[in-house]
Amino acid sequence: MNKLVMATNNANKLREAREIMAPLGIEVLSLKDMAIDCDPDENGSTFAENARIKAEAVYKAAAGKTGANTAVFADDSGLCVDALGGRPGVHSARYAPKGEECAKLLGELEGTPDEERTARFVCSIAFLDETGAHSEVSGVCEGKIGYEQRGTNGFGYDPVFMYGDRTLAEMSSEEKNSISHRGAALRALYELLKERYGD
Ligand code: IMP
């Protein structure tokens, strides 16, 4: 395998995946690189299901475009807060209007004591090889929801997600990638690909 399509056009996700896969000599292509316009309904009840829905849609679209089967992978991620029974979970992107998710979460957790503010980011990756065979890897980042928004880096829930005594929004992107759910899932994918395709 020398080409792998990542089911995203997000420049940050793409850069991170390219950096991690570089030692394998595999070229990671975006949807834009493949001229694929694909936005399937992510109606699964788990991150893994949603990642697979995305990966299968892109696999079909890529085969339709090029007439040849190409390996693809898709990621799906979100935040699970214990005091909210795992919410927002697979609904993380739709929990609140962009930019308002942290304030809403802090509001929901008002009065929740420190020891009950545990939470985790989860990232699931679905990989389909050239034959369409499916594999799944995932990564988790354990932390706590703080009491105020801190830091200006990152996106989404980063300003309220405490990893130790800092939020993810107070970390550089390199530092965050080294401990994040997505970084862990991408490194697990790297290991899987190395085992299968490495020399
Ligand atoms: P997606 O899987 O990249 O579409 O992410 C789904 C949603 O989960 C995002 O819109 C964010 O709200 C949240 N999320 C996922 N990963 C992160 C992260 O690393 N930091 C902050 N929020 C995240």
Side-chain angles (χ1 to χ4, degrees), residues 6 11 25-26 30 35 48 62 65 74-75 80 94 110 118 140 154 159 161 164 168 185:
M6 183 176 191
I26 293 173
S30 70
K65 276 267 169 209
D75 76 317
C80 301
R94 289 158 278 166
E110 214 172 292
T118 48
V140 175
F161 189 91
L168 294 187

Side-chain angles (χ1 to χ4, degrees), residues 82-156:
D82 291 324
L84 302 179
R87 278 194 303 116
V90 290
H91 303 295
S92 293
R94 289 158 278 166
Y95 172 68
K98 240 193 176 81
E100 294 173 26
E101 55 277 73
C102 290
K104 182 173 174 188
L105 185 59
L106 290 177
E108 277 212 82
L109 290 181
E110 214 172 292
T112 305
D114 206 40
E115 64 276 14
E116 290 172 28
R117 297 178 81 93
T118 48
R120 65 205 49 78
F121 277 117
V122 179
C123 176
S124 194
I125 289 180
F127 168 69
L128 300 182
D129 71 12
E130 296 99 323
T131 72
H134 167 252
S135 308
E136 178 191 315
V137 291
S138 62
V140 175
C141 179
E142 296 279 351
K144 274 187 171 184
I145 305 303
Y147 295 89
E148 59 180 6
Q149 301 193 39
R150 274 168 36 189
T152 52
N153 298 331
F155 70 102

Side-chain angles (χ1 to χ4, degrees), residues 13 75-78 92-93 121 155-158 176 181-182:
K13 284 189 183 180
D75 76 317
D76 193 56
S77 59
S92 293
F121 277 117
F155 70 102
Y157 302 90
D158 283 348
K176 178 182 164 185
H181 48 308
R182 194 169 298 103

Side-chain angles (χ1 to χ4, degrees), residues 46-73:
T46 63
F47 298 115
E49 269 174 41
N50 281 338
R52 188 168 183 172
I53 289 169
K54 244 184 283 183
E56 295 199 331
V58 170
Y59 181 81
K60 279 193 196 117
K65 276 267 169 209
T66 63
N69 291 332
T70 314
V72 312
F73 76 97

